[in-house]
Each structure stands twice: as structure tokens, then as C-alpha cells.
Amino acid sequence: MSAGDQARAGFLALELDGDGAHPAAWRAARHAPADLLTGERVRSTVLAAESAGFHVATFSDGPLSPGGGADIGGRLDAVQRAAFAGPLTRSIVLVPEVDTVYTEPFHVATQLASLDYVSGGRAGWLVAAGGTEREGAAVGRDIVDGAALALEAAASVEVSRRLWDSWEDDAVIRDVETGRYLDVDKLHYADFETGEDFPGAGYSVKGPAIIPRPLQGQLPVLAPAGLVATGLAADNSAAGIDAVLISAPSLGQLAAAVDNLRERSEGAVAVIAEIDVVLDARGQSAAERVAQLDAHTPWHSTRARYTGDAAGLVELLADVLAKADGVRLHPAVLDVDLDELSRLVLPELRRRGALAPVVPDATFRELLGLGRPANRYASVGN
């Protein structure tokens, strides 16, 4: 990856799940373990991320990884954490991970539209598709895998996009004199049906939604590259996604993957690189910190990892941001690494002009350079 274009300004996202990406992160956290599942913990971490100047906070979801012994953590529902953080914050974008296989698409669309309202247009959706036989059995379904995951995800995304458009922007009229709250002519059926190639039992969604169109019109939709490779559309279309998350086993492979997707997509979607981060801190080298935590539970991750001092991370991120639209960081221990990122990394990146400005009350679509989309049903019956 060339560092020739250092003037390009990107954004930084931070994963806020648990106490950090390392399975033993809680051992180095600055709070009692029980405090993890409290509103105060959600509040303190998201405000720390916003204060540091991160543009986006993401919230992981789904079953916790087995085999961690005493280091198995706990988490609250991702949409609920993001919704709780919405009124507390002003600039940071809130992006929960939401399942598309075992969650009702109508409920997904409604929850995310509500999140957009409580956050003032700062909501996004990180698409997840996966699961185990046990998860499927819990909702009376067989396990879904392979290419079928992308088909399920694509159907859920399209349902949500249709439902978000099912209320025209001026459907709510609040006409006191006539006693009319809604103009019913500006509500529309989503009329979605799964196709013949749908892997599971087909379904249909009639609509319209039960709440008005989100503030952004359409929430930005993010998805991991694996889902895109198996069929989820990455073309910023009515049924597609807006940003792709790229993971790779090493930093060199990550740079090549970013270049490859950038070239293939020709700017149709935003490209976000995923990096695990461990920094020198508290008089300990990053390598010592990892070794200390690994002694309890080894950290296995499919993401590229940076281990070292803050200056080295600044150089790395400036290089990646010269090509990618954004980077999502996964700190080993939030309470420790976020401090270092806040004091030593983000200020230097901002001084170099490598980061987009943080704008209070701006929308996620504005951060991605996307305009507010027209409603697909707006011309129907008008």
C-alpha cells in the first residue's frame, strides 16, 4: 500500500463490545466484572470514544465464543446498547450488529429506524449472518450456512429498505383542523416475497412500517466481505449495502485486500479495514501485555493485528487511511488501549489531516459522503 496520498481524510470506528477484543480483557479492566452489563458501562465507554474523536462506535452481538473457560464474557443486545447511547451522544455514529437469519426482518427494520430517531440520524446497520444448529433450533429452523447466508441477508436488507421507504417523508401531516394525523395516500405496501432460490421456508412482508421513514431516509448498511463474496450485493443499490468490512490474517494481506476491493468496486461502496490493536501502556510493552493475557486464554482472531507503540500505529493508520475510507479498531483492552489511542494516536492523525472532521449532529450518510435518497414510492399515486 502506498503512502503517497496522505491527504485523504478517512474515519475511525471503534468496537465497544465487552471489555475489549482479547477474551481475557476483563482481567485488565478498571471496573468490577458485574459492572460490564450496566448502563453506566455503556455510557462511559461510548462517551470516552466520542471524546477521543472516533467517528463510529460499533456494537457486536450474537452468541459468545465457547471454550473460554473463566474468560467467557457477557453482553447485552446490540441495538439496545446503541439506542441507550443515542441520547447521550452528539457526534459519534452508532452501528449495532444485527442478525439477518434468525431475526424477523420486520422487527429488524423497525428497531433500526427507531435507533435512527433516538440518535438524530447517526445510526447504521452492521449485517450479520451465521449461527449454529442450536441457534436455529431455538427458533424452529435448521442451520443455515454457505451461500444461503448471503441470500438470507440480502432478503433481510431488501425488506428493511422497502419498509424504510413505505412512509413518504411528508406522510405525517398533524392537521388539527381536520383531525388527520396521517395522509394515508403516502403510506405504501412493501410487498416483499422471497424468491424461488430462497434457502429456507419462504416468507412475505406486506407492510407498511409501523413508524415513519428514518431521519436519514435509508440507514447506511455495512457488511463483512465474506457475505459480499458469497452473494450480498455491494453496489449501494436499493437492495445492496453501502460499506464493506475487510479482514485479513496479516497487515500485508489486509492492504492487498483493500486495494483489490477498491479497484473492483470503483467507489460504489465504502471500504473499511479491520485491525486488532495492542499498544504499549502502563510501562508495559504491547507484547508483554498480550503474553500476560494469553497466559489465561490465548487470543485467536481472524483479523490483522498491530502490536507496538503509538507512533507505529499512527504510521500504519495513516497508510491504510490513504486507501480505505475507514478503519475499525478492535482494542485488546478497552480501558487501557482507548486511553493510548485518545492521547497519542488520534490527535496526531488529525494533525496530519488523515481524519475527517468530527461534526456534531451530522448523519452517518454525510460521513460516508452519501446524499439523502429519494423515496422509491414518492411518485406512486401523486
Side-chain angles (χ1 to χ4, degrees):
M1 184 181 297
S2 168
D5 185 9
Q6 295 296 315
R8 181 189 177 92
F11 63 86
L12 286 181
L14 185 70
E15 172 54 48
L16 291 180
D17 191 52
D19 283 314
H22 197 290
W26 68 275
R27 297 177 182 275
R30 298 170 184 161
H31 65 87
D35 293 343
L36 178 64
L37 303 181
T38 64
E40 174 56 28
R41 177 63 180 175
V42 175
R43 187 193 73 81
S44 63
T45 52
V46 75
L47 288 180
E50 183 174 69
S51 178
F54 279 93
H55 302 81
V56 178
T58 63
F59 302 86
S60 186
D61 210 344
L64 296 163
S65 300
D71 287 328
I72 294 177
R75 65 163 61 101
L76 303 171
D77 175 83
V79 176
Q80 291 182 17
R81 279 180 284 160
F84 180 80
L88 303 174
T89 51
R90 278 201 61 193
S91 65
I92 197 164
V93 169
L94 305 168
V95 182
E97 179 181 299
V98 183
D99 170 66
T100 54
V101 177
Y102 301 120
T103 311
E104 292 285 349
F106 190 93
H107 296 164
V108 172
T110 303
Q111 290 176 342
L112 291 169
S114 300
L115 175 62
D116 204 43
Y117 276 102
V118 299
S119 65
R122 291 179 286 116
W125 175 14
L126 174 51
V127 171
T132 63
E133 185 175 356
R134 186 177 180 183
E135 288 174 79
V139 293
R141 289 200 56 185
D142 295 330
I143 188 172
V144 179
D145 55 16
L149 291 171
L151 291 173
E152 296 250 7
S156 185
V157 172
E158 184 171 354
V159 167
S160 294
R161 291 202 182 279
R162 290 190 187 199
L163 287 170
W164 292 337
D165 274 348
S166 63
W167 292 49
E168 294 185 36
D169 289 316
D170 54 353
V172 178
I173 54 177
R174 299 185 182 92
D175 190 333
V176 176
E177 291 187 1
T178 63
R180 296 169 66 225
Y181 182 75
L182 288 175
D183 182 345
V184 295
D185 292 333
K186 296 189 175 182
L187 268 59
H188 305 279
Y189 291 126
D191 275 337
F192 173 85
E193 290 191 15
T194 50
E196 295 180 354
D197 58 347
F198 194 69
Y203 63 84
S204 63
V205 175
K206 191 70 174 177
I210 56 175
I211 62 173
R213 195 179 192 220
L215 294 177
Q216 295 181 92
Q218 292 281 325
L219 276 66
V221 181
L222 289 58
L227 278 179
V228 175
T230 52
L232 186 63
D235 55 6
N236 199 14
S237 65
I241 61 172
D242 302 291
V244 178
L245 293 159
I246 300 286
S247 288
S250 70
L251 293 171
Q253 290 170 297
L254 179 65
V258 167
D259 281 342
N260 180 267
L261 179 59
R262 172 68 66 194
E263 182 177 342
R264 286 190 292 113
S265 69
E266 298 180 338
V269 294
V271 178
I272 304 173
E274 301 253 55
I275 301 176
D276 286 337
V277 171
V278 197
L279 292 173
D280 298 345
R282 300 179 176 182
Q284 273 190 307
S285 72
E288 289 171 340
R289 291 182 54 216
V290 172
Q292 198 171 63
L293 293 170
D294 277 354
H296 297 285
T297 300
W299 185 14
H300 301 296
S301 172
T302 57
R303 295 180 291 268
R305 183 183 304 173
Y306 173 82
T307 304
D309 63 15
L313 181 61
V314 168
E315 297 300 329
L316 170 67
L317 292 179
D319 197 23
V320 176
L321 288 168
K323 290 292 179 65
D325 297 279
V327 175
R328 181 165 70 145
L329 298 179
H330 299 257
V333 179
L334 271 172
D335 284 348
V336 179
D337 293 293
L338 182 51
D339 269 0
E340 304 301 315
L341 291 166
S342 173
R343 290 190 306 108
L344 302 174
V345 177
L346 272 73
E348 177 60 17
L349 287 172
R350 186 152 283 113
R351 188 190 69 77
R352 295 186 184 197
L355 294 182
V358 172
V359 182
D361 303 322
T363 69
F364 191 13
R365 294 190 68 88
E366 289 169 340
L367 177 64
L368 294 174
L370 302 172
R372 193 174 191 280
N375 188 310
R376 76 189 68 193
Y377 303 112
S379 62
V380 177
N382 292 337

